[in-house]
Amino acid sequence: MEKTVKICMTGFGNVGVRFARMLLEQERQLADEYGCRVIVTGVCTRTRGTVINPEGLDLGALLIMKEELGRFDSEYPGFAPDCGAPEMIERCGADIFIELSTLSVKDGEPASGYIRAALEHDMHVITANKGPEAWRYAELKALADERGKRYLFETAVLDGAPLFNMARSCLRGCEITGIRGILNTTTNFILGEMEKGGTYDEAVAEAQRRQFAEADPSMDVDGWDGAAKICALANVLMNAGATPDAVKVTSLRGITFGELKAARTQGFRLKYICSAERAADGALRLTVAPSLVPLDSPEALVNGTSNIITIRTDMMGELSIIEKDPEIKQTAYGVYSDLLSIISGERE
Amino acid sequence: MEKTVKICMTGFGNVGVRFARMLLEQERQLADEYGCRVIVTGVCTRTRGTVINPEGLDLGALLIMKEELGRFDSEYPGFAPDCGAPEMIERCGADIFIELSTLSVKDGEPASGYIRAALEHDMHVITANKGPEAWRYAELKALADERGKRYLFETAVLDGAPLFNMARSCLRGCEITGIRGILNTTTNFILGEMEKGGTYDEAVAEAQRRQFAEADPSMDVDGWDGAAKICALANVLMNAGATPDAVKVTSLRGITFGELKAARTQGFRLKYICSAERAADGALRLTVAPSLVPLDSPEALVNGTSNIITIRTDMMGELSIIEKDPEIKQTAYGVYSDLLSIISGERE
């Protein structure tokens, strides 16, 4: 017998659209393998309008509107003018809230507030944002547990690569004692460009031209993005109870070609490494800093948009995961994989 | 309320002993986090005797006997002379059968027969052997499903690194389209030694001296071990329905220092690569062969006892997992992690 799962979403940009297409592409898989029909009852955006229908929206039609008009048509049945995420959550009757709103690394809002509202309306939550895990993890997780709901965020770090899900389902019983990795694509690209002989400014400009960097690159090059990611990882996997302002961050600005060249001469590459290490006294040290990595280490090989993360555990030793050249599809898959975890009734 | 889980084991060598110690070390974790007490009701060995007590054996005493006598004391209550695995399974009343018997790569026996017997006695099964997955996966999995029992084998490839469990729990909905990796430690060590300038025979002798190779190294250097591993992976993750004799194997014998040196001059290293690739026509090609890997690929960095596996999927792109310098503890952890999957009531 087929069950129906109702989802609502906030955000319908690149990831939201790719996820919506994935839902349509996987309709058959959802029915055949999971006995499940997924319908979308609300989509809320900041600038492209909001649509709500507790009986189910026509996802194909929403995708066409987005493509042709760049926004939802105000004539479309269910168009809800001036309706924000909290109101959509209240009205759409969904079982699962999918939070893909614009990033808010500096305080985790408005994503955290939306997530709280959805949990209070007894929805499971999936977010692609690292902000909530970096700033409010303990509070949101406690609320989710209290309500008996899932709060999942595989996409928050390393796109869809199974990181949080792996630690939860596959490293049972292990204590995670250290995490480190190359978690920010923009800065890794900038370092790669500089190694070819360019200046820092030239490398940033090239990253901007290729759309790897924002007009204001400070979130990446000043380590904010990395700080939020390592903090989210440490909160979830090491029970850190930290916030990103506790991360010791060294900006990438000021790095020179000379330093990169000298590193290589000595058998190293300079990489922008995020790390969470438990010191001998039990204190957790969170850092984001340009760091020397040996040329024969896997970290030295990570170029372009690829990522690497290494997890050290008490019982399972040290594992590294390399995600090669991820694209938007992998980000969307992370959200989809969280959805399947919920649909399949996975227990924690 | 605490539940009691009864397990029995066949095999009490290095892995069995390390696993037994882990059970004692984690007793508190099992009680506090899983509300569970694990007792061992049978241990069957080929040359060290068999002990059975449906009420629970004293695991500490068994470990001491093993250490002091090298075998179970025939005076020990529950000592069962001439009792093999099938009889132990029948008499010990366990919920879970842990199969750690001596490897049998060439036909998957006697492990497969033991596993069948345990499933028929309505036990969940955990095996550290790749033989059953390589030779009889479809049959054993069908029997397990029919009986509503778990059949887990995380340790069969890459020790305890979460490979099978990751694909099952964390790559939901993905089709796995290719697998490749360095899966055999002995041959990787031999190649590393030869690169220092030695002959093949010298490298094999050094591997034997360091106990990385058997007196007869043919299982490793003629690719049998690799063939069983890639076949097990392909059967479980790609639904191959293959047996190891279908794997196209090229022996490592005959490799020369000259070839390794030439490879490096051209920007490659020679590695013994196992792979499962689906061809354009849908056919699955399983191979084990010395292969050139680019010096700037993660595979080129894998030395010593470390392993790497790369999984290619339709939705999640390409992921590599590197297991660094695993020891016997990681093998035991793989068994323990399967045990926790069962105890936590994980659903597939």
Side-chain angles (χ1 to χ4, degrees), chain A residues 347, chain B residues 1-6 30-31 34-39 95 340 342-345:
Chain A
R347 302 178 206 182
Chain B
M1 208 193 61
E2 217 173 59
K3 68 179 171 194
T4 299
V5 171
K6 296 183 174 185
L30 284 162
Y34 296 86
C36 179
R37 197 166 67 99
V38 173
I39 60 177
D95 308 303
L340 292 183
I342 295 172
I343 288 174
S344 66

Side-chain angles (χ1 to χ4, degrees), chain A residues 124-302:
Chain A
H124 301 287
V125 169
I126 298 167
T127 178
N129 263 321
K130 57 193 162 290
E133 296 73 62
W135 289 98
R136 308 217 170 265
Y137 178 66
E139 171 198 335
L140 294 172
K141 177 71 171 122
L143 179 58
D145 288 348
E146 186 191 313
R147 295 280 177 159
K149 297 294 158 188
R150 302 299 301 274
Y151 162 37
L152 300 176
F153 34 76
E154 188 57 82
T155 317
V157 181
L158 255 72
D159 314 285
L163 195 58
F164 295 112
N165 292 340
M166 188 187 80
R168 192 177 62 238
S169 309
C170 307
L171 292 174
R172 285 200 173 90
C174 282
E175 190 193 344
I176 293 177
T177 54
I179 302 171
R180 61 176 276 150
I182 298 173
L183 305 180
N184 179 272
T185 298
T186 308
T187 48
N188 200 41
F189 178 84
I190 290 171
L191 287 171
E193 284 299 298
M194 287 183 69
E195 283 178 331
K196 298 180 192 162
T199 65
Y200 170 81
D201 289 335
E202 285 165 355
V204 170
E206 178 64 15
Q208 285 163 334
R209 201 183 63 76
R210 304 265 294 266
Q211 300 192 311
F212 292 148
E214 313 266 335
D216 172 5
S218 61
M219 282 294 141
D220 297 309
V221 299
D222 291 333
W224 276 98
D225 178 79
K229 282 176 176 159
I230 195 67
C231 194
L233 286 165
N235 284 343
V236 177
L237 303 181
M238 302 174 78
N239 204 16
T243 47
D245 41 16
V247 180
K248 188 164 177 287
V249 174
T250 309
S251 171
L252 199 66
R253 291 181 208 261
I255 292 285
T256 63
F257 173 64
E259 284 172 81
L260 296 176
K261 202 175 149 189
R264 201 175 269 265
T265 313
Q266 289 156 44
F268 295 92
R269 266 182 102 180
L270 203 79
K271 290 288 188 184
Y272 205 37
I273 299 286
C274 304
S275 83
E277 293 291 333
R278 207 169 280 289
D281 65 357
L284 195 64
R285 242 201 330 265
L286 305 177
T287 54
V288 177
S291 312
L292 293 172
V293 304
L295 280 177
D296 63 352
S297 69
E299 287 173 341
L301 297 186
V302 172

Side-chain angles (χ1 to χ4, degrees), chain B residues 37-95:
Chain B
R37 197 166 67 99
V38 173
I39 60 177
V40 178
T41 62
V43 180
C44 169
T45 75
R46 205 158 44 95
T47 57
R48 298 179 178 109
T50 292
V51 285
I52 298 174
N53 182 348
E55 302 304 312
L57 295 155
D58 179 344
L59 201 51
L62 300 186
L63 285 167
I64 291 171
M65 279 188 272
K66 172 77 197 293
E67 197 175 322
E68 293 188 350
L69 307 177
R71 52 170 292 122
F72 300 137
D73 189 340
S74 59
E75 305 288 305
Y76 185 77
F79 187 85
D82 305 322
C83 176
E87 195 184 334
M88 174 191 74
I89 288 168
E90 210 154 296
R91 289 171 48 192
C92 71
D95 308 303

Side-chain angles (χ1 to χ4, degrees), chain A residues 8-10 43-45 50 52 82-93 97 99 101 109-121 123:
Chain A
C8 64
M9 301 164 60
T10 177
V43 181
C44 169
T45 75
T50 292
I52 298 174
D82 304 322
C83 175
E87 196 185 334
M88 175 193 71
I89 288 168
E90 210 152 294
R91 289 170 49 192
C92 72
F97 172 58
E99 200 286 310
S101 68
E109 297 299 344
S112 301
Y114 297 165
I115 292 171
R116 200 179 307 112
L119 290 170
E120 283 167 353
H121 279 80
M123 297 180 188

Side-chain angles (χ1 to χ4, degrees), chain A residues 22 26 29 33-34 158-162 165-167 169-175 295-299 301 308 314-324 329-330 333-334 336-337 340-341 344-348, chain B residues 22 26 29 33-34 158-162 165-166 169-175 295-299 301 308 314-324 329-330 333-334 336-337 340-342 344-348:
Chain A
M22 198 171 272
Q26 304 303 123
Q29 182 184 65
E33 292 176 33
Y34 295 87
L158 255 72
D159 314 285
N165 292 340
M166 188 187 80
S169 309
C170 307
L171 292 174
R172 285 200 173 90
C174 282
E175 190 193 344
L295 280 177
D296 63 352
S297 69
E299 287 173 341
L301 297 186
I308 184 169
D314 57 348
M315 284 197 279
M316 185 40 228
E318 192 177 306
L319 282 178
S320 298
I321 300 176
I322 301 172
E323 183 191 33
K324 193 174 171 202
K329 186 179 186 179
Q330 276 69 59
Y333 172 72
Y336 182 66
S337 108
L340 292 182
S341 290
S344 67
E346 181 201 81
R347 302 178 206 182
E348 275 187 51
Chain B
M22 198 171 271
Q26 303 302 124
Q29 181 185 66
E33 292 176 32
Y34 296 86
L158 254 71
D159 314 286
N165 292 341
M166 189 188 79
S169 308
C170 306
L171 291 174
R172 285 201 171 91
C174 282
E175 190 194 344
L295 279 176
D296 63 352
S297 70
E299 286 173 342
L301 298 185
I308 185 169
D314 56 348
M315 284 198 279
M316 187 39 228
E318 192 176 306
L319 283 177
S320 298
I321 300 176
I322 301 171
E323 183 190 33
K324 195 176 170 199
K329 186 179 187 179
Q330 276 69 59
Y333 172 72
Y336 183 66
S337 108
L340 292 183
S341 290
I342 295 172
S344 66
E346 180 200 79
R347 302 178 207 180
E348 276 188 51

